[in-house]
Amino acid sequence: MDRRELANFLRSRRERIAPAEAGLPAGPRRRTPGLRREEVAQLAFISTEYYTRLEQARAPHPSHEVLAALARALRLSDAERDHLHHLAGVPPLPSAGPSREVRQSILDLLHRLPQAAATVMSATFEVLAWNELAAALMEDFSALPRRDRNLVRRVFLGPHPHGRRLYGMSDADAFARHSTRRLRAVAARYPDDPEVAGLVAELLGASEEFTRLWESHDVSAGPTLRKTFQHPLVGPVTVDCDVLDIADRDQQVVIYTAAPGSPSEEALRLLSVIGTQRMHVN
């Protein structure tokens, strides 16, 4: 284990991540670039003291679990994850769960779609990336902790502000059926992943609707290609929904577009100007 090189690597990666990329608010008077040490520790579910000692080259040998948590918190690529393990002297294990790493080319694509609301979802329906219009239409995801960016948890467990289930989507009930069916397949693909198992257990324990759908083994539910969002500021926004599979990452790019010349297109244009200021309206 090369403690000094490991410390330098962790510090350099921490300093290059903007808080919004990690789902954290920027906050006032942030004097250093990137994340703070305590924020990395929070995201990795380890103590701030232990992480600080890692960056000071004073910590003992980190475990596989700690390294995996740090790789997720620091949004490391597969190559960077392997390098982290090499520096720590711990051979990397094959990934047991769905990937949360979004390719840079996909991130670039989202921001090249200014007239469309676009997100990237993991296999477990966690929103991993989004553009500004998606945040304005649905939620300012950067202001949410990671667990609250999971749409299957959102549809079954809420919250549902103003009685609007899943952002007032007209197909929220169909999405509940579709997401349950897909989550069952994900659980079969990743039987050893504790996050997948934990999500299923949480939903089974807290939602009678999810339990009923899970036990029904429904395989007929499919995605809805057109839906309407009930937006609190601009009213109903009807969009076409296109889904692009990223097979090698087990992810999906979801793109919402309005018909040209429609009132919904004008509503999206207005949202692109308003941005996430709407989050302050309740």
Side-chain angles (χ1 to χ4, degrees), residues 197-231:
L199 176 61
V200 172
E202 178 187 1
L203 292 169
L204 286 172
S207 171
E208 293 183 3
E209 180 188 11
F210 179 82
T211 301
R212 174 176 53 80
L213 291 171
W214 182 267
E215 293 176 349
S216 73
H217 295 267
D218 180 18
V219 296
S220 61
T224 303
L225 301 182
R226 175 167 289 190
K227 60 187 68 184
T228 299
F229 289 83
Q230 293 296 333
H231 194 278

Side-chain angles (χ1 to χ4, degrees), residues 59-117:
H61 214 289
S63 65
H64 272 296
E65 292 76 16
V66 167
L67 292 172
L70 287 172
R72 288 194 298 268
L74 296 171
R75 302 178 67 86
L76 300 185
S77 67
D78 292 343
E80 289 171 331
R81 178 181 65 90
D82 291 346
H83 185 59
L84 174 67
H85 280 76
H86 172 74
L87 293 176
V90 180
L93 295 174
S95 176
S99 174
R100 299 186 63 256
E101 178 192 350
V102 182
R103 282 202 302 266
Q104 186 61 48
S105 60
I106 299 298
L107 295 175
D108 293 340
L109 172 65
L110 298 190
H111 298 293
R112 289 171 181 158
L113 299 171
Q115 298 179 31

Side-chain angles (χ1 to χ4, degrees), residues 31-218:
R31 298 179 180 177
T32 58
L35 300 177
R36 300 185 179 101
R37 287 174 174 172
E38 59 267 26
E39 290 171 334
V40 175
Q42 174 189 346
L43 292 168
F45 300 101
I46 61 177
S47 72
T48 301
E49 178 185 1
Y50 179 68
Y51 180 76
T52 299
R53 293 173 66 191
L54 281 172
E55 279 204 9
Q56 293 174 343
R58 297 189 298 111
H61 214 289
S63 65
H64 272 296
E65 292 76 16
V66 167
L67 292 172
L70 287 172
R72 288 194 298 268
L74 296 171
R75 302 178 67 86
L76 300 185
S77 67
D78 292 343
E80 289 171 331
R81 178 181 65 90
D82 291 346
H83 185 59
L84 174 67
H85 280 76
H86 172 74
L87 293 176
V90 180
L93 295 174
S95 176
S99 174
R100 299 186 63 256
E101 178 192 350
V102 182
R103 282 202 302 266
Q104 186 61 48
S105 60
I106 299 298
L107 295 175
D108 293 340
L109 172 65
L110 298 190
H111 298 293
R112 289 171 181 158
L113 299 171
Q115 298 179 31
T119 65
V120 178
M121 284 199 311
S122 74
T124 58
F125 293 90
E126 178 186 347
V127 178
L128 301 175
W130 55 90
N131 63 8
E132 292 182 1
L133 189 51
L137 177 65
M138 300 170 68
E139 182 98 29
D140 183 3
F141 296 106
S142 68
L144 300 177
R146 178 188 159 197
R147 63 171 280 108
D148 292 343
R149 296 199 297 265
N150 186 288
L151 297 188
V152 69
R153 181 182 280 116
R154 180 83 178 224
V155 74
F156 286 108
L157 304 184
H160 306 309
H162 309 289
R164 296 179 303 119
R165 189 183 194 191
L166 198 64
Y167 315 112
M169 283 168 45
S170 57
D171 68 332
D173 292 345
F175 177 84
R177 295 191 298 272
H178 169 65
S179 62
T180 302
R181 177 176 63 85
R182 287 204 51 165
L183 191 58
R184 177 178 287 281
V186 169
R189 285 201 301 277
Y190 303 102
D192 300 322
D193 181 56
E195 287 198 21
V196 174
L199 176 61
V200 172
E202 178 187 1
L203 292 169
L204 286 172
S207 171
E208 293 183 3
E209 180 188 11
F210 179 82
T211 301
R212 174 176 53 80
L213 291 171
W214 182 267
E215 293 176 349
S216 73
H217 295 267
D218 180 18

